[in-house]
Amino acid sequence: MSVTSIAQNLFFARRQKELQKHLTQGAEIQRNVLKSLLRRAEDTEYGRNHAFSAVRDYETFCQDVPLNDYESLKQDIDRMRHGEKDILWPGQVRWYAKSSGTTNDKSKFIPVSQEGLQKIHYAGGTDSVALYLMNNPHSRIFDGRALILGGSHQSNYNIHGSLVGDLSAILIENINPLANFVRVPKKKTALLSDFEVKRERIAQETLHKNVTNISGVPSWMLSVLLRVLELSGKSHLEEVWPNLEVFFHGGIAFTPYRKQYEQLITKSGMHYEETYNASEGFFGIQSDPADKSMLLMLDYDVFYEFIPMDEFGTPSPNVVPLWGVETGKNYAMVITTSCGLWRYIIGDTVQFTSCNPYKFIITGRTKHFINAFGEELIVDNAEQGLAYACLETDAEVLEYTAAPVFMDENGKCRHQWLIEFSREPSDLSRFASLLDSKLQEINSDYEAKRFKDITLQPLEIVKAKPGLFHAWLKQRGKLGGQHKVPRLSNSREHIEQLLRLNK
């Protein structure tokens, strides 16, 4: 009997049976999760302020607890980071996942409690394997090593035992020591902050290992795999790791990278399983290889609510619980978790493809953004960057839009900006450099992806001819009124239309 078969029988078979409850008992599971979260947090400062002890049902919860974003919880989170206890969640929360910033901050710091670590993040990782084994009963992933790609962490306000960093680093730091026998690279390597050094060491350490599965963000992982091939002198990854069988991926959309992975890994039977894991929690897993939608994970320490996007931003939107959603409708997702996020608007939008079981796809963000490579560039970042570049070069921007140029076969990628100037800078390359440096200054995720040009190359600016955006809007019948040029987009649809008109 293989090691994988033993692991399946000992650790995963029971959980696979429990997951069947997702098919028929979704609403009941979610009601129980809400009750549990309220009961455990009723003696926190937030719980007392919002009378958690008196909340008996979902309707009361909605009346007593407001919708929140990062700005509304930021002050409490900062107190927690300074060591205060029992604020948003019982006890002292020692871990904070650093995420992309808001309008007012370069970074967000998402609390990760011990309960959230175990009952959300690690639960999601375990279920990813459980569902994979259900679909692939002859798998042998535990007969070899798992290559897990992570980030780094650092001290949090010099509070003893408290750290802040990438969620992946938090997970690696706290992982069960037994897992180190089946994973690579070494923990010390995995937590290095310099990605260029990390990539080299990972490639060296894994080159001669029996790697059977890989986990990470597609853009970062691709960079590592290309280095492995360079060192090995091989053309395809299965020549290095013949038993590689699955890539567990998440963080950013996989579609732009699929073709490149299929060129790197040409063996038949290679599997790809998408997960929806974020700094705020682990929410979904692709449970059927033939279905791109993901199963919403209902029995973790996460209670879900949804705001119809046609009501998002209105004073009193009709927020619905899981049992109130409809298929085919776009929703902004709201979460309540054991990390102390109460009715927190995460910023992602989803659409349900099924309500029995509850399955969904990620449709985007609540605001215009670029997150093709994990950089999470928002419009406010763009506006600040352009204002700075204009000030330094005495230029004026009339209209603009930006979109990603996805990686080519050499793993190169960049942002492409199409800008119509009312007063052009004398040196366009200097303008581009100033914009790029300002974006790195105000957005830590963009800064990380631009580090030594490893993931993102310097941005490109294309000058738009006078009247281009006006002509494009007119062509689309969208002149006047509230119609606007989409400033940032993860898709190249709009910018390609504009570039064709710009010839």
Side-chain angles (χ1 to χ4, degrees):
M1 182 178 289
S2 71
V3 176
T4 304
S5 297
I6 295 171
Q8 159 68 12
N9 293 332
L10 288 178
F11 301 110
F12 296 103
R14 180 178 177 181
R15 178 56 182 163
Q16 288 165 347
K17 291 180 180 178
E18 291 176 348
L19 286 170
Q20 296 302 311
K21 295 178 181 178
H22 281 59
L23 303 180
T24 58
Q25 302 176 35
E28 180 183 352
I29 292 171
Q30 276 286 279
R31 285 191 177 95
N32 288 335
V33 168
L34 178 59
K35 290 178 183 177
S36 174
L37 292 171
L38 290 168
R39 184 182 68 251
R40 284 183 279 164
E42 62 183 28
D43 289 328
T44 62
E45 181 178 299
Y46 196 87
R48 292 190 299 271
N49 290 342
H50 295 89
F52 281 6
S53 60
V55 175
R56 293 291 177 262
D57 52 33
Y58 172 69
E59 289 69 28
T60 311
F61 176 66
C62 293
Q63 294 169 11
D64 293 349
V65 182
L67 291 171
N68 288 298
D69 57 15
Y70 186 76
E71 291 301 318
S72 55
L73 296 179
K74 175 187 170 184
Q75 188 173 13
D76 285 336
I77 291 173
D78 199 55
R79 291 169 59 201
M80 293 164 66
R81 288 186 63 202
H82 279 89
E84 291 192 46
K85 301 178 181 179
D86 302 322
I87 305 299
L88 294 173
W89 190 252
Q92 183 178 359
V93 176
R94 297 182 179 275
W95 289 92
Y96 296 87
K98 188 177 180 181
S99 184
S100 61
T102 65
T103 298
N104 299 320
D105 296 280
K106 184 175 179 178
S107 299
K108 295 183 292 187
F109 299 92
I110 306 300
V112 181
S113 67
Q114 185 62 33
E115 291 88 345
L117 196 65
Q118 298 297 331
K119 297 182 178 181
I120 301 176
H121 295 291
Y122 285 146
T126 299
D127 282 351
S128 297
V129 177
L131 288 167
Y132 176 72
L133 293 177
M134 284 180 66
N135 292 317
N136 300 277
H138 301 297
S139 167
R140 299 180 70 93
I141 58 171
F142 290 114
D143 293 13
R145 300 293 187 93
L147 167 54
I148 302 175
L149 193 58
S152 61
H153 57 63
Q154 62 195 58
S155 177
N156 169 54
Y157 285 144
N158 294 318
I159 303 297
H160 178 69
S162 182
L163 297 172
V164 60
D166 298 317
L167 174 69
S168 54
I170 293 173
L171 298 178
I172 290 172
E173 182 66 43
N174 289 281
I175 200 168
N176 188 315
L178 293 176
N180 291 317
F181 290 104
V182 296
R183 59 168 292 278
V184 286
K186 294 182 293 188
K187 182 176 178 180
K188 183 178 179 180
T189 299
L191 296 176
L192 285 170
S193 58
D194 186 324
F195 183 76
E196 192 172 47
V197 174
K198 177 187 292 189
R199 179 183 61 172
E200 183 67 26
R201 291 190 185 177
I202 290 175
Q204 295 281 358
E205 290 179 25
T206 61
L207 189 59
H208 301 294
K209 300 294 185 181
N210 177 26
V211 174
T212 60
N213 60 104
I214 55 179
S215 302
V217 177
S219 54
W220 289 110
M221 183 62 76
L222 184 62
S223 181
V224 170
L225 299 184
L226 288 170
R227 183 57 184 149
V228 169
L229 285 179
E230 288 175 1
L231 287 176
S232 69
K234 305 296 184 182
S235 300
H236 300 106
L237 209 56
E238 63 266 27
E239 298 175 80
V240 183
W241 301 324
N243 297 314
L244 180 65
E245 60 175 87
V246 60
F247 178 23
F248 299 102
H249 59 86
I252 58 176
F254 186 58
T255 300
Y257 302 94
R258 180 175 286 276
K259 185 176 181 180
Q260 294 169 79
Y261 274 90
E262 291 175 347
Q263 291 172 345
L264 289 180
I265 309 168
T266 60
K267 64 183 291 187
S268 61
M270 180 65 188
H271 303 284
Y272 299 91
E273 182 175 288
E274 183 173 8
T275 62
Y276 179 13
N277 54 328
S279 298
E280 296 85 354
F282 199 118
F283 310 122
I285 302 171
Q286 185 179 3
S287 58
D288 180 355
D291 184 358
K292 292 183 179 180
S293 60
M294 288 180 277
L295 181 69
L296 190 68
M297 308 313 294
L298 304 178
D299 60 355
Y300 300 172
D301 269 359
V302 182
F303 179 76
Y304 301 97
E305 296 174 89
F306 303 89
I307 305 173
M309 279 306 293
D310 56 6
E311 298 185 41
F312 187 81
T314 62
S316 301
N318 179 36
V319 187
V320 297
L322 182 67
W323 52 91
V325 301
E326 303 172 22
T327 58
K329 195 169 185 176
N330 216 29
Y331 295 98
M333 195 160 77
V334 180
I335 58 171
T336 290
T337 79
S338 59
C339 292
L341 300 178
W342 298 99
R343 304 197 79 198
Y344 183 84
I345 302 170
I346 191 174
D348 291 335
T349 60
V350 300
Q351 185 179 108
F352 283 89
T353 59
S354 167
C355 290
N356 188 26
Y358 288 97
K359 299 183 76 171
F360 69 99
I361 57 173
I362 302 171
T363 53
R365 296 283 289 175
T366 55
K367 299 179 180 178
H368 291 301
F369 72 108
I370 300 178
N371 191 33
F373 314 104
E375 66 275 51
E376 297 195 25
L377 194 73
I378 62 175
V379 173
D380 185 74
N381 299 156
E383 299 286 357
Q384 289 186 55
L386 288 169
Y388 173 75
C390 285
L391 180 65
E392 293 294 314
T393 61
D394 195 32
E396 289 181 0
V397 171
L398 183 63
E399 294 282 6
Y400 75 93
T401 192
V405 175
F406 295 112
M407 287 185 180
D408 59 21
E409 63 274 13
N410 296 315
K412 305 298 183 183
C413 59
R414 64 190 181 279
H415 287 179
Q416 186 178 53
W417 294 68
L418 181 60
I419 302 178
E420 183 177 339
F421 292 96
S422 53
R423 183 165 63 231
E424 294 184 13
S426 58
D427 185 345
L428 190 62
S429 62
R430 179 168 179 258
F431 184 95
S433 179
L434 289 166
L435 172 58
D436 188 65
S437 63
K438 189 64 175 180
L439 293 176
Q440 293 185 58
E441 177 186 329
I442 60 182
N443 183 316
S444 59
D445 283 334
Y446 182 84
E447 179 184 39
K449 303 307 178 288
R450 283 285 292 112
F451 180 72
K452 296 186 177 180
D453 298 347
I454 294 173
T455 297
L456 271 177
Q457 307 302 299
L459 61 83
E460 171 194 7
I461 293 180
V462 178
K463 281 198 302 184
K465 62 186 181 183
L468 174 67
F469 290 91
H470 178 98
W472 179 70
L473 288 170
K474 183 177 180 179
Q475 186 183 72
R476 292 162 58 86
K478 292 188 175 182
L479 280 179
Q482 295 183 335
H483 298 300
K484 300 176 182 177
V485 174
R487 295 308 190 194
L488 304 178
S489 176
N490 236 18
S491 164
R492 289 191 58 80
E493 177 186 358
H494 295 141
I495 202 169
E496 289 292 352
Q497 294 172 358
L498 284 155
L499 288 171
R500 285 193 291 270
L501 282 177
N502 200 45
K503 293 180 179 178

